[in-house]
Amino acid sequence: MTSEAVSPSLSDVIAVMERMYDPAWARDWDAVGLVCGDPGAQVRRILLAIDPAPAVIEEALAWRADLLITHHPLLLRGVHGVPVTTPKGRTIHQLIRGGCALYTAHTNADAAAPGVSDALARVLGLTDLVPLSADPADPVDKLVTFVPETAVEKVLDALSAAGAGEIGEYGRCAWTAVGTGTFVPGSGAGPAVGSPGERQTVEERRIEMVLPRRRRHEALAALRTAHPYEEPAVDLYELAAWSRPRGIGRVGTLEQPTSLREFAMLVAEALPSTSQGVRVAGDPTAEVRRVAVCGGAGDSLFDAVRAADADVYVTADLRHHPASEARDTAGDGPPYLVDVAHWASEWPWLAGVSNRLEGALADAGQPVEVLVSTRSTDPWTFRVPSPGSMVR
């Protein structure tokens, strides 16, 4: 007999989102998470969009969405109130009256793997992706202890439950080796093995497990509870920092080299249409194969682009001075620049969110209907080509 599927609560959906896009990965200036909504409310329909713009709010309410998930925050800068007479206040009131919650995943989704720039890289056909600006790994310890054979499984289970032994998608990871332990209990001891004053020799198992440094206290407490010895021997090593696959931007390679002009045309075809189109800086005939990308505004990453030895850099919102300086530094060579609309550079991410979120909830027996908004929230509405007259 199979259990009947039930709709998830808002807190259930948020838990899935935060496994994919941990709020701890967000930059300290950012505002991510639940903006409005009752965590206990049921969620049947979820609309995904880049911006919490008026057109998107109307779409969410017309579709009777219970939750709107956006990439860009509504309240990135602090406000002192949300009266309906202000644009942000009007949005909040519309959502609450319509019974629709709002949740934001911003720079935590930028840094995630896969994240916003992974999606941009994939639609451009890039492979062998690595972060353009990698985040440091979370601090990690290695715990080493020595356990009699009869208690090995109990201690491993306890440490695992406390957060030790997680490596990527694998849990309860440990290395063990057999050895001999020897000790002499003091007169005031209450040893689990042997008697005070008598030398003991015990076959023991050395156990090594990694654990997030933030879980050190919980792991040590679990070890002391599960270990049969009155005074278990334990060593903690702080492991050297290393880079994670998370970070801002991505670098990858095209399957075949192409010209800068052909590559720019590929970008234009892969992304949603915008009035801006695609702007390019560089020799149209130059060969490109190694590509750096950053969904959203990326003109702060030129040093990383040069360090990555990229032939071309695809991003959005390139300003005059940083772009000019980047091209002056490069001379006639790479990295060349491809500038696209901010909204268009991030929109491919939504399809991946939809698939992963819907799949995770379905696997948990909590199916939902997820829709990706196709409303363009790019602020520019039309473009007038320059006539090409001489500068006067």
Side-chain angles (χ1 to χ4, degrees):
M1 182 176 178
T2 58
S3 59
E4 189 173 335
V6 295
S7 297
S9 67
L10 176 56
S11 62
D12 292 330
V13 178
I14 290 173
V16 174
M17 285 295 295
E18 294 188 349
R19 284 197 296 272
M20 298 191 297
Y21 311 110
D22 190 331
W25 303 338
R27 275 36 189 173
D28 57 10
W29 51 263
D30 204 2
V32 302
L34 185 63
V35 179
C36 65
D38 176 1
Q42 282 194 316
V43 175
R44 299 174 183 84
R45 288 183 165 186
I46 302 172
L47 182 69
L48 302 176
I50 295 299
D51 297 290
V56 171
I57 304 302
E58 292 173 8
E59 181 181 11
L61 299 181
W63 188 54
R64 298 185 182 278
D66 303 298
L67 171 61
L68 170 62
I69 297 176
T70 63
H71 181 49
H72 291 149
L74 176 67
L75 304 175
L76 180 59
R77 293 178 177 82
V79 297
H80 299 288
V82 286
V84 76
T85 51
T86 65
K88 294 183 187 298
R90 187 159 52 250
T91 294
I92 294 291
H93 282 266
Q94 285 179 303
L95 289 167
I96 292 174
R97 282 198 300 265
C100 183
L102 174 62
Y103 181 89
T104 295
H106 190 210
T107 52
N108 49 330
D110 289 328
V116 172
S117 291
D118 290 279
L120 174 58
R122 297 298 185 194
V123 299
L124 300 183
L126 304 183
T127 60
D128 303 321
L129 300 181
V130 296
L132 175 59
S133 177
D135 283 357
D138 298 328
V140 175
D141 291 340
K142 179 186 284 188
L143 182 150
V144 179
T145 191
F146 305 87
V147 185
E149 287 286 349
T150 55
V152 169
E153 295 303 316
K154 181 180 179 181
V155 171
L156 284 173
D157 287 340
L159 287 172
S160 177
E166 294 184 3
I167 302 177
E169 297 297 320
Y170 297 86
R172 204 177 180 272
C173 300
W175 184 85
T176 69
V178 175
T180 301
T182 183
F183 52 88
V184 177
S187 60
V193 178
S195 302
E198 296 180 1
R199 187 177 65 181
Q200 301 297 321
T201 300
V202 183
E203 186 174 274
E204 295 178 332
R205 188 78 65 91
R206 175 188 173 104
I207 295 176
E208 298 187 11
M209 299 179 83
V210 295
L211 71 147
R213 192 161 301 155
R214 67 180 184 277
R215 303 298 300 273
R216 180 186 288 183
H217 177 77
E218 293 92 330
L220 289 173
L223 172 64
R224 288 189 175 276
T225 299
H227 203 293
Y229 288 176
E230 186 177 28
E231 294 291 345
V234 58
D235 298 325
L236 273 175
Y237 302 95
E238 295 189 353
L239 301 185
W242 55 293
S243 295
R244 295 282 294 182
R246 296 195 310 264
I248 303 300
R250 293 292 183 270
V251 183
T253 55
L254 295 167
E255 185 177 348
Q256 297 292 336
T258 187
S259 70
L260 180 59
R261 184 189 298 280
E262 291 291 331
F263 177 72
M265 292 173 64
L266 182 156
V267 174
E269 292 171 0
L271 297 182
S273 175
T274 60
S275 297
Q276 171 185 316
V278 175
R279 301 188 300 174
V280 186
D283 178 358
T285 65
E287 182 178 280
V288 298
R289 181 166 191 175
R290 186 164 173 79
V291 181
V293 303
C294 179
D299 62 12
S300 64
L301 296 174
F302 282 127
D303 286 343
V305 172
R306 284 187 282 267
D309 200 26
D311 300 315
V312 61
Y313 181 36
V314 182
T315 190
D317 297 344
L318 286 179
R319 295 169 294 163
H320 174 83
H321 293 296
S324 294
E325 290 171 5
R327 290 305 301 141
D328 289 344
T329 301
D332 294 330
Y336 311 110
L337 307 179
V338 173
D339 182 56
V340 300
H342 192 124
W343 168 82
S345 73
E346 295 174 330
W347 189 82
W349 170 70
L350 298 176
V353 181
S354 175
N355 292 337
R356 296 177 71 200
L357 180 60
E358 193 169 15
L361 290 169
D363 289 344
Q366 300 175 315
V368 293
E369 191 175 353
V370 183
L371 177 67
V372 172
S373 174
T374 56
R375 303 282 181 97
S376 173
T377 50
D378 183 61
W380 307 107
T381 55
F382 69 95
R383 176 175 174 271
V384 178
S386 302
S389 59
M390 293 185 63
V391 177
R392 295 178 184 150

